[in-house]
Each structure stands twice: as structure tokens, then as C-alpha cells.
Amino acid sequence: MGVNKPVVEITVLPEVKHGFRIRGEKPVVVVGLPDTGLVGTIAVTYLTEKSGMEEIGFIDSPQLPPVLPFHKNIPRFPIRIMNKGRFVAIFSEIAIPVDLMTPLAKTLISFMKEIDADTSVLLGGIAVPNRIDLEKPSVYGLGITEDDRKFLEAKGVKLLDEGFLAGAYAQIVKECIKETQRGIILLGESYANYPDPGAAAAVLETFSKIFDFKIDVKPLIDQAEELRLKLRELMKRTIETLRSAQKRYERALPPLYR
Amino acid sequence: MAMEDFFEVLKRIREEMRRIVEDVEKEFMEIFPLESREGIVEPLTYSYETPSEIIITLDLPLVKRKEDISVRVEDGNLIVEAELCERYSFGLENPFFKACTAKKYRKVFNLPEDVDISEIRAKFKSGVLEIRIPKKHRGIRIKVE
């Protein structure tokens, strides 16, 4: 039997391939990753489809599971980059492994820097225990910089005052702070463990209002039940990854002494 | 090796083998849910406990009426079944999904012994079923001075 050797872990950042060209205004990067209630994934995939965004690239990593979705007979990368006008959307069709969250966050920020993004918008859900009683979920905002917080307030978005953010979005926000990249997070009240197209619709309405991006969410609400059935497997896999991403922290209060 | 040690090792090997077989079966069942051929789908569920009750919720999209839901207790199990408002075909050109048409949800929960099955309550709203199972209070109250 040989002696156990120390393991040297080398972090390989995910690769990005894209054909984005800056034209006119600085781009706004919208991100939707599988998270609480799959709100981000549902919102951003719907946004890209309904607004007719074009696929301009992908993000890939050896740390992603060996999975490849195909749509209309065309194989696709699970994390894709879409674009229309000044809006660039990034979404994932598969759960992000915990070990990939930090490298992916670094790659996203470096991509935003490369395309000289004006701001980033992370769409997601915030679990609430009384979701079953809410007809229309509220949407809360978190601003990364002082200007972002002022922007949200000026647009009438309720700000999240105290709490924790956990998972991939927490890592993205950390990287934004380090790299002084502007950004906001819009979180809709959501079921924690069930796909929640209603919360995704609420988040999209807020996004639409603050960025003047016209999008009709009625078809999304109309097909909500079908989506909940279809997205069960992705939800199950996302719950598994969120468990190890300390997602329960979002239900904890930070220490306060005031 | 003493005879007792030998049987202890054998017991551990048997236990490990059982665990491996169970893991493989579990993995296999997740990939090929046998029930799907019968149109039975396992719903997403979430459960948590409070000091006085166990709360289970089930996501039942496409179930429209509470009359289409059955909740019963049999042999220490809580069995939930619910009919979809219509047979749902995933509508995808994919042999796996073509073979699966959802028509019913079914989920069986093993109930712990310290619950009061006569007081189980269920509420159905917006496609989510919430079941509240009260715990039996066996303790005694101690006066705090």
C-alpha cells in the first residue's frame, strides 16, 4: 500500500465562448441560475424565448456534470449566453455543482468586465413559509453598490434589509464587490422546494418595470402548472446542490446588536 | 482470527453488500421510475416538524379539485393519491417521455409511532396539499420556579 499523497486541487475557471459585440449602450447582463423555486431559471429562459433573444455563446467547465440538453434536435450547452440589443442573458438548464459556484462567479464577472457591462441583474427566489397563501408574491431587491441601492429605491423596489444570501448568487455578489461591478438582485417570494412560475412572473414584472423591457407574463402564468410538473426533476437536483450550498442560511438572521 | 471476529467481519461485509445493492437499486429507480409506465408520478414533497406537529406539503400541479385527492392511513403509512385534471403527455419527441403519460400522483410516507392519526388535517390550495399531523404528547409538564 502506498502512502497517501496530499491532494493538490487546481481550480480551472469555466471557459466562455461568445460572439457579443458592443453596439451603442453598455449591456445589462441578466442571470438566471437554478436556485430557490427555480425562479431565476424560469424567469430568464422565458425572457429569452419571448423576447426573441439570439444565442451568442456558452459557458462550459469540466466540473459540470456530463449532461447535454438538446432542443428541436439541436444539442445545446447547458449554460448559454443570449442577446438582444443591450440585454445579455445567461441561464443554466442544469443545477450548478457547489464546487463550481465560485469559479463560475469569477468567470461571469470577468465576462461582464470584458463586454464592459453597465450592470448585472440576478433573478431568483426567496423562500417564504406562507407562499401557499400569497396570490401575488412580492419582489425584493438587493443592491451591490450604493448607486444600485439608490436605483432600486428610485424604481420603487422594496429593499431587503437584513439576512443572508447563499448559493451561486452569493458568490457572484462577492465577486461583483471585489471587482466593483455594479449589480442588483431581484428575489420573488417563492416556494423553497417547488418550481414557482408565479414568483418568476412577479420577478419579471419588476425587471420589466425598472428596465423598461416589455414582456407579457400572462402566458407564463397560464402554463404555470404544466411547468411545475415538467420541472420536477431539475428541482430535485437543485435541492440536492442547495443543501450543500448552505441554503438554509437564508432562513437565519445575522447577529445584530442594536 | 477468533471465531467471533470472523462472524463480526462477515456481518460487516453482509451489511456493506446490502447497502451497495440498495444504493444501486435507488439509483436505478430514479433513472427508470417503474411507476411512470402506469402514469403514476411521484410528486415533489417537503416536510418539517414543529414541537407539536409534522407538516408535509406536496406539490400537485394540474390537480384542480380537492375531491380528486385521497389521503388515508394504512398499516402505519400515510398514502396520498391525486388525479390530474386530464392525462398529461409531456408532448416531446423523445421515446422516454412519449412512454410516460401522467395521470395520477402517488406518495407513501412512513408515519412515526408518536402521532395522532385521528387528528390529521389536510388543506389544498393553489395546487399544493398541506397535511398537518399532530404529535401525541407523552411528556409531563414541569413547573418552572
Side-chain angles (χ1 to χ4, degrees):
Chain A
M1 296 290 281
V3 179
N4 283 340
K5 289 180 182 168
V7 177
V8 179
E9 286 187 15
I10 299 167
T11 305
V12 180
L13 290 184
E15 63 169 323
V16 186
K17 290 264 163 65
H18 70 92
F20 184 76
R21 296 286 170 267
I22 303 166
R23 293 174 293 262
E25 282 182 286
K26 282 178 151 194
V28 172
V29 178
V30 192
V31 180
L33 300 176
D35 202 277
T36 305
L38 298 180
V39 175
T41 301
I42 298 171
V44 177
T45 50
Y46 183 81
L47 179 84
T48 58
E49 279 180 29
K50 292 295 165 185
S51 63
M53 285 193 179
E54 278 179 29
E55 190 174 329
I56 58 157
F58 61 84
I59 297 176
D60 193 25
S61 162
Q63 283 169 279
L64 280 171
V67 175
L68 183 83
F70 50 92
H71 299 294
K72 295 181 179 159
N73 198 242
I74 303 169
R76 309 269 194 197
F77 280 86
I79 306 178
R80 300 200 285 283
I81 307 173
M82 315 289 285
N83 170 235
K84 186 177 183 185
R86 75 171 183 127
F87 291 93
V88 174
I90 300 171
F91 66 88
S92 172
E93 286 195 80
I94 60 172
I96 306 296
V98 177
D99 292 346
L100 187 60
M101 287 178 181
T102 304
L104 178 64
K106 286 180 188 291
T107 296
L108 281 175
I109 304 311
S110 117
F111 168 70
M112 288 176 206
K113 291 283 178 195
E114 184 193 332
I115 65 168
D116 196 21
D118 179 35
T119 192
S120 53
V121 187
L122 313 181
L123 304 185
I126 181 167
V128 288
N130 62 336
R131 174 66 182 93
I132 192 170
D133 298 316
L134 302 174
E135 282 299 321
K136 191 171 170 64
S138 296
V139 175
Y140 295 88
L142 197 61
I144 293 174
T145 66
E146 184 61 30
D147 285 344
D148 293 320
R149 291 185 281 277
K150 281 182 185 157
F151 171 75
L152 285 170
E153 274 186 314
K155 296 288 182 182
V157 179
K158 285 177 261 184
L159 299 185
L160 275 177
D161 197 21
E162 304 282 353
F164 284 104
L165 200 58
Y169 286 166
Q171 295 309 101
I172 297 172
V173 172
K174 277 187 201 169
E175 294 303 321
C176 280
I177 297 168
K178 285 186 212 167
E179 300 296 326
T180 55
Q181 170 63 53
R182 285 192 61 182
I184 58 169
I185 303 108
L186 296 176
L187 302 173
E189 291 179 316
S190 157
Y191 289 111
N193 296 292
Y194 304 149
D196 198 334
V203 163
L204 279 176
E205 279 182 328
T206 304
F207 173 80
S208 159
K209 189 178 78 178
I210 64 181
F211 286 99
D212 197 22
F213 188 105
K214 298 218 173 350
I215 183 130
D216 177 14
V217 296
K218 190 176 176 301
L220 176 60
I221 293 166
D222 289 345
Q223 62 177 142
E225 297 216 31
E226 261 185 61
L227 278 172
R228 277 161 55 191
L229 185 57
K230 281 182 179 171
L231 294 173
R232 282 176 330 125
E233 283 308 312
L234 177 58
M235 188 75 249
K236 276 189 203 168
R237 290 177 199 285
T238 303
I239 291 167
E240 282 168 26
T241 63
L242 293 183
R243 229 172 251 146
S244 28
Q246 305 286 319
K247 201 65 185 169
R248 285 185 70 85
Y249 254 107
E250 289 188 355
R251 298 174 205 176
L253 277 173
L256 295 169
Y257 309 98
R258 61 178 188 220
Chain B
M1 183 187 284
M3 200 52 104
E4 292 100 77
D5 291 345
F6 173 74
F7 282 113
E8 191 54 40
V9 169
L10 203 61
K11 191 179 159 191
R12 279 210 305 273
I13 292 172
R14 198 188 305 133
E15 188 57 30
E16 185 64 11
M17 292 291 288
R18 187 190 59 76
R19 196 188 57 74
I20 291 168
V21 169
E22 275 183 10
D23 283 353
V24 170
E25 280 178 352
K26 194 177 160 208
E27 191 72 17
F28 196 76
M29 287 294 284
E30 278 177 4
I31 300 168
F32 302 106
L34 297 177
E35 287 181 318
S36 65
R37 287 179 60 192
E38 308 298 321
I40 298 172
V41 176
E42 187 176 302
L44 288 174
T45 64
Y46 178 61
S47 59
Y48 57 99
E49 275 186 57
T50 69
S52 59
E53 56 186 2
I54 297 166
I55 298 142
I56 300 173
T57 68
L58 298 93
D59 192 29
L60 304 175
L62 296 175
V63 174
K64 298 290 181 196
R65 308 178 312 156
K66 63 180 182 186
E67 292 78 13
D68 294 331
I69 302 170
S70 147
V71 183
R72 60 185 197 277
V73 176
E74 272 179 29
D75 301 326
N77 292 319
L78 178 77
I79 302 165
V80 180
E81 291 176 331
E83 304 276 344
L84 275 71
C85 60
E86 59 190 42
R87 287 178 78 97
Y88 182 76
S89 160
F90 289 87
L92 301 170
E93 284 302 314
N94 175 313
F96 179 81
F97 290 106
K98 273 175 110 170
C100 303
T101 304
K103 61 176 183 180
K104 185 179 187 177
Y105 293 104
R106 187 170 200 272
K107 180 77 185 174
V108 178
F109 301 92
N110 189 243
L111 287 174
E113 283 181 4
D114 64 338
V115 294
D116 185 354
I117 57 168
S118 65
E119 290 295 323
I120 295 177
R121 295 283 177 269
K123 175 174 99 173
F124 181 63
K125 192 177 175 189
S126 311
V128 175
L129 180 69
E130 183 184 83
I131 303 170
R132 303 183 93 92
I133 308 163
K135 292 179 186 173
K136 282 179 188 163
H137 292 287
R138 286 184 182 158
I140 54 163
R141 194 175 176 87
I142 295 163
K143 191 180 170 191
V144 179
E145 293 180 13

